[in-house]
Amino acid sequence: MFKRIMAPVDLAHVEKLRAALECAADLAKHYSAPVVYVGVTSSQPSELAHNPEEFAQKLGIFAAAEAARFGIETVAYATIAHDPTIEVDDALMRAIKETGADLVVMASHVPNVMDHIWPSNGGKLAAYAKCSVMVVRT
């Protein structure tokens, strides 16, 4: 049913994403589909990397570790946003198209009052993506 699964990853908070990452890996095994781990970064130095190339390398190491851990095919896809905090939704929407993903599996959070003002990333993708989106509550 699914041919390419996209899993957004924030390398600074991987442990908070574990349920969604395990779900993506399980679905990848079931459908014999690769998981594309998408990370959004800026061109400016950050706590994670000095530049986009270093970020892409770290994301690639993460993807390889997940492949070994779960016995699945993985791909790392790093994308750049001017301000990832504000532009993450747009960057993820572009990544869906650019990677050819037909399913997105991503973590969410317990809803709170601010979600009535600013929608969650998962909620926005679920509303506007042209593919299926599974939001895994963490």
Side-chain angles (χ1 to χ4, degrees), residues 74-132:
T74 64
V75 177
Y77 185 84
T79 186
I80 298 172
H82 177 69
D83 184 349
T85 306
I86 296 171
E87 300 171 16
V88 69
D89 295 332
D90 293 334
L92 293 175
M93 291 294 284
R94 280 192 317 272
I96 291 169
K97 184 177 180 181
E98 292 169 358
T99 64
D102 54 0
L103 172 65
V104 177
V105 178
M106 64 187 300
S108 187
H109 59 280
V110 177
N112 61 41
V113 72
M114 292 306 291
D115 290 320
H116 296 287
I117 300 167
W118 290 290
S120 67
N121 301 113
K124 186 166 182 185
L125 257 60
Y128 296 104
K130 293 183 178 174
C131 67
S132 297

Side-chain angles (χ1 to χ4, degrees), residues 8-18 21 38-41 46-49 55 58-59 62 84-85:
V9 176
D10 180 345
L11 292 176
H13 302 286
V14 170
E15 289 312 311
K16 292 181 180 179
L17 308 174
R18 195 46 60 197
L21 296 173
V38 174
V40 181
T41 189
S46 70
E47 295 174 8
L48 288 172
F55 179 83
K58 288 183 178 185
L59 186 62
F62 171 80
T85 306

